[in-house]
Amino acid sequence: MLPRHPLILKITTICTTVVLAGVLFYNRNPNTVVHRRLMYLPTMQVGRYSFSDITALVQELNAIQNSPPTTTTEEPIHAIETYVDGEAITFDIDAEPCLKSHYLLIYVHSDPGNAERRRVIRTTWASNEILKLHGAKLIFVTGQVETLDMQASLDFESQLHKDIIQANFTDTYRNLTYKAISGLRWAQENCPNTTYVLKTDDDIVVDIHRVVRLMKAYIENKWGKKNILAGYIWPHMNVDRNKSSKWYVSPEEFPKPFYLKYCSGSSYLMSTDVVAKFYTNSLTVPFFWIDDYYVTGMLASAAGVTPTSLNDRYILENNADMAALLQNDSKTRFVFVHSPDTITSNFVWKKFLERWG
Ligand SMILES: *[C@@H]1O[C@H](CO)[C@@H](O)[C@H](O)[C@H]1NC(C)=O
Ligand SMILES: *[C@@H]1O[C@H](CO)[C@@H](O)[C@H](O)[C@H]1NC(C)=O
Ligand SMILES: *[C@@H]1O[C@H](CO)[C@@H](O)[C@H](O)[C@H]1NC(C)=O
Ligand SMILES: *[C@@H]1O[C@H](CO)[C@@H](O)[C@H](O)[C@H]1NC(C)=O
Ligand SMILES: *[C@@H]1O[C@H](CO)[C@@H](O)[C@H](O)[C@H]1NC(C)=O
């Protein structure tokens, strides 16, 4: 037998340790575990898993989704990838560009037929007086309409208020991503010196005074004026596979059973550099028709922007929080409230003012 040279022994020991450590690390790395389990998720029989299995899986997913941004882009796999040519969008109606450096540009996705909702927004939380007070500017983003009558009334409204843009796509819910890209393009072209941009919908009431205070006291101090995306985060929203649902998404359009972390489209805040990055990326990130996922999920991921949660500031359904707000509970923290109709919008705004003053 050959005498064992101490050096060979040492090398063997080191090699074995490295291999063992590697195997251990591979198995302990939550990403590998989850990714291996994810492969089975679409066929997972929930009944065969205990509750704690599923809770653990959700926790692991949260851990991954809360981890620092990576540069990989998660894109749905389309049979045929299509792109929105944002540069080819034209504006049939245009609004006045920013004539100075505003603190906040507010752009509201609006259905052309929702003149009453726009009127309420202009007379409540985004009145000229309030816009002036906060150095803000308001625009409504719409698309092309079906009838000449509606076009005529939109033209009239636009001449009166100079706050409407109408991009040349048909305004349907399946085209909302066109609306989102039109808004991003308009913002980065016409208001490049704005500090922040708030995207919202015409059925949301915003406590603008508190939002501005929140931004100055919290967002600006904690995260600064760059690379900001903040809103109501859906950490792992299930893809709607209900064929009779308006928001049904087929496995061909989006194969995974749930979306990566993204923000509800109801209201989100961006810094202006983020708006510019999102618009630029929209030219090369394939089209997906769910606009809030497209912008705050896919474009954000392509830009390496991670959303910040403001979840406790939102009321998105008519629930106990809504009841508390409407019952004069001045301690409520909510600043973005979904409102089913304009009567409620007026009422919520009144409550916001009482709470404020
Ligand atoms: C934006 O800022 C640039 C550089 O400071 C300036 O040249 C330009 O006039 C500003 N534009 C507006 C609309 O304020
Ligand atoms: C908008 O108009 C431009 C210029 O005419 C055109 O190239 C583009 O295809 C139009 N977009 C849509 C969505 O119709
Ligand atoms: C918008 O929607 C209509 C009908 O839903 C569709 O025909 C059209 O291709 C979509 N895209 C644009 C840019 O208008
Ligand atoms: C599917 O959607 C339809 C229409 O929104 C609804 O009535 C039905 O309850 C849904 N089914 C399931 C299983 O959620
Ligand atoms: C709600 O609070 C405001 C201000 O604190 C007060 O003026 C108002 O009367 C209150 N309304 C009700 C219904 O309690």
Side-chain angles (χ1 to χ4, degrees):
M1 227 164 95
L2 279 168
R4 287 198 184 164
H5 195 282
L7 189 61
I8 293 179
L9 260 183
K10 223 174 205 166
I11 289 171
T12 315
T13 317
I14 290 171
C15 287
T16 315
T17 315
V18 166
V19 168
L20 262 178
V23 168
L24 274 177
F25 177 75
Y26 179 81
N27 279 311
R28 293 198 57 224
N29 183 346
N31 290 13
T32 18
V33 176
V34 170
H35 285 160
R36 265 189 277 131
R37 285 162 79 174
L38 269 184
M39 296 191 297
Y40 301 107
L41 202 62
T43 53
M44 182 169 99
Q45 303 289 307
V46 172
R48 282 172 42 217
Y49 285 75
S50 69
F51 178 71
S52 60
D53 272 348
I54 292 168
T55 313
L57 181 62
V58 166
Q59 276 167 359
E60 285 168 8
L61 282 172
N62 275 335
I64 288 182
Q65 277 153 355
N66 290 329
S67 59
T70 57
T71 47
T72 55
T73 313
E74 289 283 349
E75 291 161 359
I77 301 155
H78 300 274
I80 305 163
E81 282 186 354
T82 57
Y83 297 85
V84 175
D85 184 1
E87 300 290 299
I89 291 171
T90 59
F91 294 104
D92 300 336
I93 297 180
D94 211 346
E96 202 171 54
C98 287
L99 300 173
K100 55 175 184 158
S101 302
H102 289 278
Y103 181 67
L104 183 67
L105 170 70
I106 303 160
Y107 75 83
V108 183
H109 278 200
S110 189
D111 187 294
N114 287 351
E116 178 59 12
R117 284 190 181 274
R118 290 189 291 276
R119 191 190 65 77
V120 168
I121 291 173
R122 287 191 199 100
T123 53
T124 57
W125 63 268
S127 68
N128 281 333
E129 213 183 347
I130 287 175
L131 294 176
K132 200 169 163 206
L133 177 70
H134 294 302
K137 180 180 173 68
L138 169 74
I139 63 156
F140 294 99
V141 189
T142 66
Q144 285 172 337
V145 301
E146 296 294 326
T147 67
L148 288 175
D149 270 5
M150 187 170 284
Q151 187 60 42
S153 70
L154 203 64
D155 285 341
F156 178 73
E157 192 184 330
S158 155
Q159 280 160 22
L160 209 57
H161 299 286
K162 298 180 174 55
D163 59 2
I164 293 177
I165 64 172
Q166 183 183 36
N168 69 331
F169 64 89
T170 318
D171 201 318
T172 60
Y173 73 95
R174 280 250 167 194
N175 278 351
L176 282 174
T177 292
Y178 287 88
K179 188 173 275 191
I181 293 172
S182 307
L184 290 171
R185 181 177 138 198
W186 195 93
Q188 63 104 33
E189 265 178 19
N190 293 285
C191 300
N193 297 348
T194 300
T195 311
Y196 296 106
V197 175
L198 170 66
K199 184 268 155 181
T200 187
D201 286 340
D202 64 7
D203 56 359
I204 303 294
V205 191
V206 179
D207 186 345
I208 189 73
H209 299 308
R210 286 197 181 208
V211 167
V212 169
R213 195 171 68 170
L214 177 77
M215 288 163 69
K216 292 194 166 157
Y218 184 60
I219 295 183
E220 224 180 284
N221 270 343
K222 201 165 170 196
W223 290 294
K225 293 179 177 173
K226 294 254 182 283
N227 228 33
I228 303 295
L229 170 64
Y232 187 94
I233 293 177
W234 302 116
H236 43 81
M237 172 71 102
N238 286 326
V239 176
D240 190 340
R241 299 290 196 212
N242 177 351
K243 283 194 176 154
S244 37
S245 158
K246 186 179 168 187
W247 304 102
Y248 168 71
V249 171
S250 71
E252 288 72 37
E253 285 176 295
F254 197 91
K256 288 188 185 144
F258 51 80
Y259 297 110
L260 292 182
K261 179 154 133 178
Y262 75 104
C263 295
S264 158
S266 53
S267 277
Y268 51 86
L269 285 160
M270 296 170 279
S271 49
T272 302
D273 60 312
V274 163
V275 174
K277 276 190 223 167
F278 283 4
Y279 175 66
T280 308
N281 283 321
S282 76
L283 302 171
T284 52
V285 173
F287 176 83
F288 182 57
W289 67 275
I290 308 268
D291 66 303
D292 38 9
Y293 186 66
Y294 182 76
V295 175
T296 68
M298 293 163 67
L299 297 183
S301 160
V305 175
T306 321
T308 298
S309 170
L310 298 176
N311 286 25
D312 58 348
R313 304 290 182 150
Y314 284 72
I315 300 179
L316 297 180
E317 353 168 19
N318 203 345
N319 57 15
D321 290 335
M322 184 74 161
L325 175 71
L326 297 182
Q327 276 162 20
N328 228 6
D329 181 349
S330 60
K331 290 184 293 298
T332 58
R333 299 156 53 81
F334 308 105
V335 294
F336 301 110
V337 174
H338 175 258
S339 155
D341 51 59
T342 50
I343 294 174
T344 312
S345 297
N346 273 313
F347 199 64
V348 167
W349 174 245
K350 214 171 129 248
K351 289 295 160 188
F352 280 164
L353 284 183
E354 285 171 4
R355 188 174 74 165
W356 183 254

